[in-house]
Amino acid sequence: IRIINEPELTIFAYRYENSTLSKEENNKINKKLTEEIHKEGKVFLSSTNIDNEICLRVAILSFRTHIYEIELALNEIKAKLESIIKMH
């Protein structure tokens, strides 16, 4: 996972990158990761395109967000990414 930019307020962008894959292949994995996380519906992440790279974004805006929600998001990202990589 590569952090794309320094966090601004409570939002930061990141993406999965495998140095042995092309930018297009990495983009496909990041797009699939976004789709799979949205399909599950446990957490919501947005995506964007920065310099022709598909990136995911997370925003933690509410003072009511607890460590549980952050850990849930991280666990979902990790589980979905591991599943996608195994199929790739």
Side-chain angles (χ1 to χ4, degrees):
I1 299 289
R2 176 171 62 100
I3 303 295
I4 302 301
N5 63 335
E6 289 295 317
E8 294 181 26
L9 297 176
T10 60
I11 301 172
F12 69 94
Y14 59 95
R15 69 184 258 112
Y16 168 79
E17 287 186 354
N18 180 327
S19 61
T20 65
L21 300 177
S22 69
K23 182 187 283 190
E24 292 77 22
E25 290 173 305
N26 279 312
N27 278 342
K28 287 179 185 177
I29 290 171
N30 282 286
K31 183 175 187 216
K32 183 72 173 171
L33 177 58
T34 304
E35 292 168 353
E36 290 298 314
I37 289 171
H38 287 173
K39 189 186 309 181
E40 186 76 21
K42 290 182 181 178
V43 296
F44 181 78
L45 306 171
S46 62
S47 62
T48 190
N49 189 314
I50 301 173
D51 296 328
N52 295 317
E53 294 181 333
I54 295 177
C55 303
L56 288 80
R57 295 184 295 187
V58 64
I60 304 168
L61 299 172
S62 174
F63 68 91
R64 293 186 177 137
T65 300
H66 298 94
I67 193 71
Y68 167 79
E69 287 90 0
I70 296 168
E71 289 174 346
L72 176 64
L74 292 173
N75 289 335
E76 284 297 303
I77 293 165
K78 181 179 178 184
K80 297 298 182 201
L81 186 54
E82 287 174 351
S83 175
I84 293 166
I85 291 170
K86 284 181 185 176
M87 294 187 308
H88 188 73

